[in-house]
């Protein structure tokens, strides 16, 4: 049993020209692309690479689409900015889980926050695979960000 | 005073190949691109084209970034699907406004819902221009979608 | 036999905020997204909707990836610009075909040109389906644009 | 005078879910996004970060849009694939320069090749700044890829 909340998973990126728009800053929708990149990288690290879940090829797939997404934008991000994403597991349920993302600039100032909810579909009554649930549950951080 | 809520602004689109991902359905983040397209089209129609607000060129710009965005995904969307976006003005405040989007397939089934909040930044204490506020307020629909 | 070259297929779009970048104009890579949208719309019209070719679902798929793409940029495009794409079939071969795209602004000035080559893969020695080849060949325009 | 061609600039990336489409592989247009990311990273390294050229803010900007882009696709890329981009300076002229990109998978097999041409606009008769030209010229590799 952890008394300490687990360290967040960190994912680094740089804001690129195509992330920005004519207003000079990150186009809001692209934040979700970066959140998903962090999620893919996180899933690799905990042993559930997304291409195995999607089941490209022969493997049976585990359809885990995002059922909900939200973001709050706190500071503009510009081309060239270095950003760190801190990903935390916010909640794990029988058929779904929620992830929180905090986007920090190179001075550790929060620039944006996001949450995604991933939900198993189909397979009446099916639950998340036990191993995935355990891997996620071990990393739950009970101090969710406030969106 | 309207006793009838105003009709939503409708924007039609088709899901394109680049909207989908290897899971075969719309990549969640791209929903926000489509929501913004509907918003740009709506702003044109009510007389506040975005390129004037952004002030590309000589005009003073009106920085109105999105401060918050959320979406709920109800049915998968696939390449070739025809989608209608119903855009409603959910709320108008002194310095911000909120828009609701309902995404319907060609059988009028809701596939997704979204909300964006647009907030004036800078210019201490400045309010939204009177004409913009009035144009938005006239179109407020007090039956917000539930995200 | 046509003595007149066939009319190009026309596809209209508007440059959206997410198409632009912090330099204020269309991000070059997004031109290819629009070219593909025009292609998808064209394929619908000639009776070969892409989702059938991709074979999402039960149908056997026809893998027709793009093997080559090029573009030339002639005039900057900005948020709000109305653009017409003229799509022409440039060439049809046994296993591949080439499409040309001309991007015109609302004063009919060319803003960009592009070409994509689509090539059947796998299925040793297989040819494009006869019906598709015929549909494309009927529309060949022997006055290719010069990239 | 170099007798050895300079080493290419290397940029690593991973193919993400949003890079792929319902056909299961990289959407062709997204290759250009990755090429530009490599270019931005390269420009940082040689001392000409793009945000300074674009002149977001006070600095006078150096408008260097891409006038031409092309790509050839050799092997499908899938979600999760690790890709190395080798960037080479192919040519430097008075007002323009060309960059070549080779995309290699984790077994060093070429998956795609691309070229972009960057051209100074406006400023009648103006040339590329001397320092930029020199930095690029030092890195010219006279063994261009064949598109």
């Amino acid at each position: 049993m952890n008394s300490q909340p687990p360290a967040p998973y960190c994912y680094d990126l740089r804001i690129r020209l195509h992330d920005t728009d004519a207003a000079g800053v990150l186009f809001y929708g692209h934040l979700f692309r970066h959140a998903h990149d962090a999620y893919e990288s996180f899933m690799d690290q905990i042993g559930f690479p997304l291409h195995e879940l999607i089941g490209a090829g022969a493997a049976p797939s585990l359809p885990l689409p995002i059922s909900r997404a939200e973001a709050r934008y706190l500071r503009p991000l510009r081309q060239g900015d270095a950003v760190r994403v801190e990903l935390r597991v916010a909640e794990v349920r029988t058929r779904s889980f929620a992830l929180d993302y905090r986007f920090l600039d190179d001075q550790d100032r929060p620039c944006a926050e996001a949450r995604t909810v991933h939900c198993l579909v189909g397979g009446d009554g099916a639950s998340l695979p036990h191993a995935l649930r355990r891997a996620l549950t071990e990393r739950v951080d009970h101090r969710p960000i406030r969106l």
Side-chain angles (χ1 to χ4, degrees), chain A:
Chain A
M1 294 301 118
N2 281 342
S3 50
Q4 288 281 73
Y9 175 73
C10 290
Y11 179 82
D12 292 317
L13 64 98
R14 205 167 273 275
I15 301 297
R16 298 297 182 190
L17 191 60
H18 58 77
D19 286 315
T20 63
D21 62 33
V25 298
L26 175 77
F27 178 76
Y28 86 117
H30 294 332
L31 191 82
F32 294 99
R33 187 158 50 69
H34 292 300
H36 207 274
D37 288 359
Y39 162 59
E40 293 177 44
S41 184
F42 168 72
M43 293 294 274
D44 277 354
Q45 201 224 276
I46 67 168
F48 295 89
L50 220 66
H51 59 267
E52 292 183 6
L53 298 187
I54 293 173
S61 69
L62 184 72
L64 255 174
I66 288 174
S67 59
R68 214 185 156 90
E70 46 190 318
R72 208 153 61 95
Y73 304 85
L74 306 168
R75 282 171 181 278
L77 288 166
R78 295 195 164 78
Q79 192 275 335
D81 285 356
V83 175
R84 163 154 296 186
V85 185
E86 292 181 353
L87 181 157
R88 290 177 174 84
V89 181
E91 190 177 30
V92 184
R93 299 194 174 196
T94 312
R95 294 170 60 83
S96 72
F97 59 92
L99 303 177
D100 280 355
Y101 311 82
R102 204 183 293 262
F103 294 77
L104 304 165
D105 69 13
D106 60 1
Q107 294 169 63
D108 255 345
R109 293 177 300 191
C111 298
E113 291 171 344
R115 171 170 290 192
T116 52
V117 179
H118 305 248
C119 190
L120 191 64
V121 293
D124 321 281
S127 315
L128 290 174
H130 182 68
L132 173 58
R133 245 170 107 183
R134 195 178 48 198
L136 291 168
T137 304
E138 278 169 6
R139 289 166 177 84
V140 169
D141 184 334
H142 294 289
R143 303 161 310 167
I145 60 175
R146 240 144 266 292
L147 278 167

